[in-house]
Structures are given as C-alpha cells and as structure tokens.
Amino acid sequence: MTVTQVLWLNVAVNVPLQALPPDTALSNGVDYVWRTDDLSSSSILPSQGSIVLIHWAGRRCLGVVLSILPEPRYDPQKILLAQLLPNLGHKVLPNTVLKLATFASQYYHRTVGEVLLPTVSVALPVIKNTLNTINDNSSKLLKPLKPLKPLLRHALIVAIPTAEQAIVLSNLTEDCFGVHLLYGITGSGKTEVYLSRAAQAIKQGKRVLILVPEIVLVPAMLARVKIALPNAKHAVLHSNISAAKRRTTWLDCLSNDIDILVGTRLAIFTPLSNLGLIVVDEEHDLSYKQQEGVRYCARNLAIVRGQLENCPVILGSATPSLDTWFKACEGKYRLHRMLKRVKTSVLPRWIKVDLLKHPTKTGLSAPVLKALDDTLARNEQSLVFLNRRGFAPVLTCTGCGWSSECINCSSYMALHQLKGKWQLICHHCAAKMPPPKSCPKCGNVHLEPEGQGTQAIEDTLLNAMPMARISRLDSDVSRKKGQSKHITDAMSHRELDILVGTQMTAKGHDFPALSTVVIVGCDGMLASPDYRGVERLFALLTQVAGRAGRSEVAGTVWLQTRQAQHPVFLAVLQPSVDSFYNTLLYERKSAGLPPYSYQAVLRASHIHLDVALAWLNRAKTLIDWVDNNAVRVFSPVPMLMPKVATQCRAQILFESNNRPELHCLLRDAIPVWIAYSKALRSGDSGYGVLWHLEVDPNEV
C-alpha cells in the first residue's frame, strides 16, 4: 500500500530580509513542502540541518532546513516542493553551526540564509538554473561521500622549549569554554602553544579549528601543523583554493573526517563537530571582518562558537586589539603573557631616521641604504616594508598641479608599471588607463610621480644594489597562483637578499637570516581621521619589526619618519603594551568611544550624493517615534571616501553605551526602512538607493 507523507519545512534561503514574504520575514526562512510516496525503511526524512534543493525566484538553489513546522503558515497551494540532496540525505549540519548562524543573523540583522548559505553553496557544485520540477536526476549533482575513515589520534605533542610556554600550557588545561588572550611578543612561540594544546584536544578525540587572517599566512601555519601533528588529518579552507578542493574539504568536515582545519574567516561556519579547541591567530587583524554581504567579525563569532561547542578559545597576538585587551583587563578573558623570545634571540634594536634631517626623493634615505648594503655584506637578509603597492600613489603636473584623480571615486589613480608598460590604476574601483602624455588641464608635458610605492622602492634598490637578489611581495604579485608561497619560500631558503613588501609580509613569517627591517611611509597613517588609526599603526609597526632577528642573527629596525617624537613611535620601543594601551583606553573613555560604547552605521549609496543623503534623512525621520533615549542617532553625513565606483556614499551613526538597547532600536527600525524602500516608485527621491546596516563597524 502506498502512503503519502507530507512535511512542512521552514527553509533558510540566501536572500535578504527585503525579499522574504512579509509574513515569514521574522522566522528568517520560507515554507516549503516535502512529500514521499515511499515509506520503506530506506526512506530518509528531512530534519533540522538538512540541505535541500528548492526553487526560488525562478531558479534552483540550495536551502537549509531550520525547523519542521506542524502546519503551513500560508496558502498550501502556493508552497513549492523541496527535495533532499540524495547523497546528503543522512548528513545534516551540526546544531552548533545552525545556532551560530542564527546568532549571527540576529546580531548583524540579516537572514540566516544570508549567513549560512554562502558557506554551503561555495562547497557544493553549482546547480544550473532551471524551472523543471526537481526529480530523481538530482542524484547526479553530487558524487557519493567517501566512507568514514578511522581518525588517527596519535599526534606528536610539541616539545616546549621555554618556561613561559610551559606556564601558559599549564593554565590552558581546561576543556570547557573560556576565552584566553595569549599576548606574546613577536617570536615568543605562540604557535607552539597553539599546536601543543591542539595535540591535547586531538588525543581526546576532538577536533581543532585554527583561523588566520589572510590567505598568505595559511601555508606557513599548515607547515607547522604538519611538523607538530604529523599523524593528524589536516585540511585548509579559504577562497583561493579550487572549488573542487573546497567541496572535498567541506564534505570531509561534515563527515568528521578532519582532525585539524586551518582557514581564513569563512572557515568559522565549517561543519566540524566535536570541537575541542578554536584558535584565532593575529586576533587584532582587520581581515577577520567581512567587508561585503553579511559584515560579520570571524573573531567574535569564534568566541560564540566556542561557547556553543563548550571548548576553549585562544586569541593570540603580539598587539591585541584594544577591545580584546579591555575585556582581558575586565576579567572577561583570561590573560596569558609571553614576553621573551624563544631560543637566544632578543627583540630588535630600533633606529629612527628623521627625514627632516635626511631628506630623500627615492623613498630610501642615505642611512637606510647604507644599512641595507652592510646587511648584504654580512650575507644577511633585509625586509623593506611599505604599505602602498604600485609605483607611485599619484601622477601630478609640475605646471598647474593637476593630479590623476579617478572619475569613478573620490581618490587618485596610482601609477603602476605592468609588463613594461605604465598604467594608471584606481585601487578602489580597479579602473585602468594609460597615463596622459601631457597634462589634461594645461597641456604641460612634464608629469611626475609623487610619492613612492613598492615598485618604486624595488627599482631604487635594483639601481643602488645591482648585485643583490631582490624581490617584491604585494597583492599585485600574489594574484598569480602560488607566487606568494614561491617568494616566501625563497626568503626562507636564503635565495633572496632583500624583500620589498606590503602588510602581507608583516606577520606570520619566520625568516631565520632576516636581520634588517626598514619601515617606509608610515607617517600618513598618523593623519587618519579614524580614531583607531594610531592603534592600528602601533600594531603594524610592532608586527613588521617582529620579523627581524628571530633566529640566527640580531635584528635592527630602521624607521623613517618626519615625526620622530610622536607617542606611537615611542611606544614601539617599550617591552610591553600596557602603558600605551592604558593611555588609549583613557582617551576612548573620555570620548565615549568603543570599547566603552557600541556602534552601528546605516549606509546608503546612489549615483548622486544628495539623493543618498535625502534617503538617510527620511530613514532617520521615520524612526524618530522610537522611544529610545539610550541610543544616540547622528545626522547623515558623507562617508570618509564619499564616492567609490560611481556610487556616492553616506551614513548615519548609531551609538549607545548599552548594546541591547542599540539592537532593540535597530530591530524596530529595519522593517520601517524596508517598507519605505519598497514604497518608493520610479522617479521618487530616494528611488534606486542601495542601503545596508553594519554593526560594530571598523570605520565610521
């Protein structure tokens, strides 16, 4: 006898709140129906966490079952069919991942599907758009899962060479949730602590997640993992590996066939079960904050996931973020200090070069060039750091002062040399054009580059030191697959004498023969209008300096500046961050800024700035009725860079000393803003405005 069974499913779909039906928006999902006429023992029923195929807006896509409903919430005739992916029918996302996605959707005020589905979809094959009814041919979409393999649990525990590391590990023995800030100076051996603690977790049959902020740091961390834990099954996950590899890794995690996963921020939603440890290396790094879509912070979500998994979370850094340091001072996080370098290495010696006394047109002063030449004579290596790619940040006219402004952005087009040809490139919208032969404004043929980028510094060194082996590492170079690893390997094997690079050379690398670090062009960060500018400059200087003298040779850091007595340049000379951070905290408290307050921004963009500002003014007026005196709502203003890629941008800042009150106001406001946007008609002021909300913004 054939029996039909019907289940009503609430399914997460990767669409914004604006696109969800009004009567289902609050549930963060859409209703679908699942039915079967086969109730044999082999039938698989969908459950919470099942991945399903659905129709949405005329196309076929993936969804995740959030719950099973007792009955449909609206007209059953309008509810479409959902079908299980046959080869994943018995596999469901871990409950902790669903809870993490739910938390993130509520905290960042986005749908669960927007949070969860990108990480699922990126790991599974692309589903062709079709209007055909889903049928049994869908079994061809996935290859069968590999059978589960017994996990190898006999990991080699890393030897602990220092007393400081042993003390820290003795205080990291708890298996339950707790946040541990591992503040260790550069070269103090934080990675050995991570891996020793990871070995303990794996021996207990648990799994480990290690996050690093940038793709370029993954190979170095993976190499350390392979040495320290040779018998543990490891994998990597980031956006620069092939789709096939991401799929294999994701499915292996879903099958619990991975012991230790190393990845960038997207790995926080990986379906690993039974986590015993989460590590966030370089926790201060801005790269942990997603800059598009759901603007989540992977570091903060790692703490939430640790709480859900009931496992310890280690936040490691030589320059902790001020927010993290503040929580450690309050006792919310446990602080562990490592203030000595491993082996016999010591912290590098700093030498400041006052550019007012030693001016230069090439970017490198005479004392610095001599130091680099002396380093080469000693058969040691050097790193020249400049956080600005290209040849020069701007091309100018010597006659009228014309500058190479981008027509699409409120910025200048930088001068680059690509394959022997000169190009002007905007670093914001990627627009390209050949440099003009004469000034577009006055016709003057004398156009000169102003300032230096990494290409110019590399050229200067090639001319000044023709016998040296010199290479460059920045995002221009690293676009070629495998090139960044090739260059860092060459440095490690002493096949290079001088490396010129941007911030991707500033952390995570350990070059034994690197004795000299030169820091160029850092004064510009002192003029940043962002209140976090000094904090970030301090972190960058400390991290870059930490590459020098880590092993075989003593280290020296040469800092070129026109503001030698600035407090941040004095702070980097100190053995610990306490005094500098206490000063910053005092300033933040006096101004009522984070971490003593909480912020969110509503941002709008349009081709005309006045339209974006008018939309924000109306959005502010629409919520004036909300009775919430605990939240300060500022007037709309243009963003620090008002125009990017032809879009003019403006924002409203929300600030409060009470986080729940801030989120309460935002929850009340979002439906009003959605309704206002939907009510606008073509021709109305504000029509065509794109907007989004960002919680805990990195910049305001």
Side-chain angles (χ1 to χ4, degrees):
M1 179 179 178
T2 301
V3 180
T4 299
Q5 179 166 339
V6 175
L7 291 178
W8 304 102
L9 312 177
N10 180 231
V11 179
V13 186
N14 185 12
V15 294
L17 281 170
Q18 296 94 313
L20 289 179
D23 51 354
T24 62
L26 294 179
S27 69
N28 271 324
V30 180
D31 288 5
Y32 282 84
V33 62
W34 177 89
R35 61 168 57 91
T36 182
D37 294 329
D38 180 12
L39 288 184
S40 65
S41 59
S42 61
S43 295
I44 301 172
L45 300 178
S47 60
Q48 186 182 54
S50 294
I51 302 171
V52 294
L53 281 171
I54 57 174
H55 281 113
W56 177 265
R59 61 185 176 87
R60 222 168 168 188
C61 58
L62 294 173
V64 174
V65 177
L66 297 178
S67 62
I68 309 297
L69 302 172
E71 59 184 17
R73 294 174 296 176
Y74 43 91
D75 187 356
Q77 300 300 318
K78 298 181 179 180
I79 298 179
L80 298 176
L81 180 71
Q83 182 163 330
L84 288 169
L85 292 177
N87 294 302
L88 284 182
H90 64 296
K91 296 290 184 184
V92 298
L93 295 179
N95 193 41
T96 52
V97 173
L98 293 178
K99 288 183 177 180
L100 179 66
T102 300
F103 169 86
S105 74
Q106 294 171 349
Y107 188 83
Y108 295 106
H109 300 278
R110 306 296 286 259
T111 66
V112 175
E114 286 181 287
V115 173
L116 192 56
L117 265 301
T119 63
V120 175
S121 301
V122 80
L124 297 176
V126 175
I127 299 172
K128 294 181 179 179
N129 293 345
T130 178
L131 294 178
N132 297 333
T133 303
I134 298 172
N135 53 45
D136 290 339
N137 291 332
S138 59
S139 62
K140 299 177 182 179
L141 293 171
L142 284 175
K143 295 180 180 179
L145 283 172
K146 296 186 297 182
L148 289 177
K149 298 178 181 179
L151 294 175
L152 300 173
R153 300 300 182 192
H154 304 292
L156 175 65
I157 296 180
V158 184
I160 303 302
T162 72
E164 279 189 329
Q165 291 172 326
I167 292 172
V168 170
L169 279 170
S170 68
N171 293 321
L172 285 173
T173 56
E174 295 181 356
D175 297 324
C176 59
F177 170 69
V179 184
H180 301 264
L181 171 57
L182 180 53
Y183 161 51
I185 63 171
T186 54
S188 60
K190 295 185 291 295
T191 303
E192 284 79 3
V193 172
Y194 303 155
L195 297 179
S196 292
R197 188 59 184 82
Q200 296 174 25
I202 292 173
K203 285 184 69 176
Q204 295 168 356
K206 298 183 178 180
R207 292 163 183 84
V208 176
L209 173 62
I210 299 180
L211 299 181
V212 295
E214 296 182 27
I215 294 172
V216 71
L217 300 179
V218 172
M221 181 62 75
L222 183 63
R224 303 286 287 275
V225 167
K226 289 179 178 179
I227 294 172
L229 307 167
N231 295 323
K233 185 166 184 180
H234 47 72
V236 300
L237 188 64
H238 55 75
S239 60
N240 206 31
I241 59 177
S242 68
K245 182 63 177 175
R246 286 201 301 271
R247 173 178 177 249
T248 300
T249 299
W250 193 89
L251 292 175
D252 283 347
C253 291
L254 187 64
S255 302
N256 288 324
D257 201 21
I258 296 292
D259 281 324
I260 183 166
L261 179 69
V262 179
T264 52
R265 62 176 179 263
L266 65 84
I268 191 60
F269 293 106
T270 305
L272 274 176
S273 295
N274 195 26
L275 281 175
L277 176 67
I278 299 175
V279 174
V280 184
D281 191 29
E282 309 291 357
E283 66 84 24
H284 65 279
D285 200 286
L286 297 181
S287 297
Y288 283 120
K289 184 71 179 289
Q290 176 80 6
Q291 295 301 315
E292 56 188 23
V294 182
R295 291 160 172 79
Y296 65 86
C297 177
R299 177 199 64 206
N300 296 345
L301 290 185
I303 295 169
V304 176
R305 185 160 187 184
Q307 189 171 21
L308 293 171
E309 301 275 2
N310 193 30
C311 74
V313 179
I314 300 178
L315 309 178
S317 179
T319 55
S321 67
L322 204 59
D323 290 354
T324 299
W325 185 263
F326 176 67
K327 289 183 174 67
C329 293
E330 282 195 320
K332 294 180 180 178
Y333 300 167
R334 188 169 180 183
L335 176 61
H336 309 269
R337 297 174 183 263
M338 291 167 50
L339 303 179
K340 296 180 180 179
R341 281 189 161 185
V342 297
K343 302 177 182 178
T344 58
S345 62
V346 296
L347 286 173
R349 179 171 60 105
W350 284 79
I351 300 176
K352 288 185 286 187
V353 179
D354 191 340
L355 291 178
L356 297 176
K357 299 178 181 178
H358 302 279
T360 175
K361 293 183 178 180
T362 65
L364 297 176
S365 62
V368 162
L369 286 172
K370 184 178 185 308
L372 292 172
D373 195 51
D374 291 344
T375 304
L376 181 65
R378 297 193 302 268
N379 196 29
E380 296 169 359
Q381 293 175 309
S382 301
L383 168 65
V384 179
F385 173 83
L386 171 60
N387 204 23
R388 187 188 301 126
R389 63 187 175 96
F391 190 88
V394 64
L395 185 67
T396 62
C397 172
T398 59
C400 68
W402 169 88
S403 299
S404 53
E405 293 184 16
C406 177
I407 61 172
N408 301 322
C409 307
S410 304
S411 65
Y412 296 106
M413 301 184 80
L415 185 65
H416 284 248
Q417 193 173 27
L418 303 174
K419 298 180 180 179
K421 295 183 179 181
W422 293 103
Q423 287 278 335
L424 289 174
I425 302 177
C426 177
H427 291 176
H428 300 280
C429 71
K432 294 183 181 180
M433 63 177 288
K437 295 181 180 180
S438 61
C439 175
K441 189 175 180 180
C442 71
N444 179 24
V445 296
H446 298 291
L447 304 180
E448 294 186 357
E450 185 173 312
Q452 295 85 27
T454 49
Q455 289 182 339
I457 296 297
E458 183 184 25
D459 278 4
T460 296
L461 290 170
L462 288 171
N463 292 328
M465 307 172 70
M467 300 303 293
R469 298 168 297 175
I470 301 170
S471 188
R472 173 169 53 88
L473 181 57
D474 53 30
S475 58
D476 292 331
V477 174
S478 65
R479 285 193 179 97
K480 185 177 179 180
K481 189 174 182 180
Q483 190 66 12
S484 59
K485 185 177 186 301
H486 172 74
I487 292 172
T488 55
D489 285 349
M491 276 292 285
S492 297
H493 298 150
R494 304 187 72 162
E495 296 168 2
L496 290 176
D497 298 310
I498 303 175
L499 178 62
V500 180
T502 56
Q503 64 181 8
M504 60 176 57
T505 65
K507 47 190 175 290
H509 302 296
D510 195 348
F511 304 127
L514 179 60
S515 65
T516 300
V517 167
V518 175
I519 301 175
V520 181
C522 61
D523 285 358
M525 291 186 69
L526 295 175
S528 170
D530 190 342
Y531 65 87
R532 296 184 179 94
V534 172
E535 174 193 350
R536 291 169 181 169
L537 177 57
F538 173 79
L540 190 59
L541 293 173
T542 304
Q543 295 288 340
V544 176
R547 301 311 103 203
R550 295 175 68 93
S551 182
E552 301 174 5
V553 293
T556 305
V557 180
W558 293 77
L559 173 66
Q560 292 191 162
T561 177
R562 290 181 174 84
Q563 303 184 53
Q565 297 306 309
H566 192 282
V568 72
F569 298 139
L570 300 177
V572 294
L573 305 178
Q574 304 304 313
S576 73
V577 302
D578 294 70
S579 177
F580 182 64
Y581 276 22
N582 288 339
T583 300
L584 291 181
L585 285 173
Y586 176 79
E587 293 174 353
R588 298 276 183 91
K589 187 175 183 179
S590 300
L593 293 170
Y596 296 96
S597 64
Y598 308 96
Q599 295 179 334
V601 288
L602 176 66
R603 292 184 170 136
S605 62
H606 192 269
I607 57 173
H608 300 297
L609 181 60
D610 57 343
V611 175
L613 287 169
W615 190 95
L616 288 172
N617 271 307
R618 180 58 178 160
K620 182 176 183 292
T621 302
L622 287 171
I623 63 170
D624 282 346
W625 59 269
V626 177
D627 184 17
N628 195 323
N629 295 325
V631 181
R632 298 177 289 280
V633 183
F634 292 81
S635 297
V637 294
M639 291 180 60
L640 293 177
M641 184 173 290
K643 186 179 179 183
V644 172
T646 74
Q647 292 293 301
C648 296
R649 311 180 305 165
Q651 68 180 28
I652 294 176
L653 173 64
F654 300 85
E655 191 174 72
S656 178
N657 297 333
N658 186 304
R659 196 199 303 265
E661 291 286 353
L662 174 62
H663 284 272
C664 181
L665 181 142
L666 297 177
R667 280 193 298 271
D668 290 339
I670 287 174
V672 177
W673 296 332
I674 290 175
Y676 170 53
S677 295
K678 289 183 176 180
L680 289 172
R681 296 172 297 180
S682 180
D684 290 349
S685 177
Y687 182 79
V689 168
L690 301 176
W691 61 277
H692 70 268
L693 181 71
E694 182 173 354
V695 178
D696 301 333
N698 277 340
E699 295 180 354
V700 295

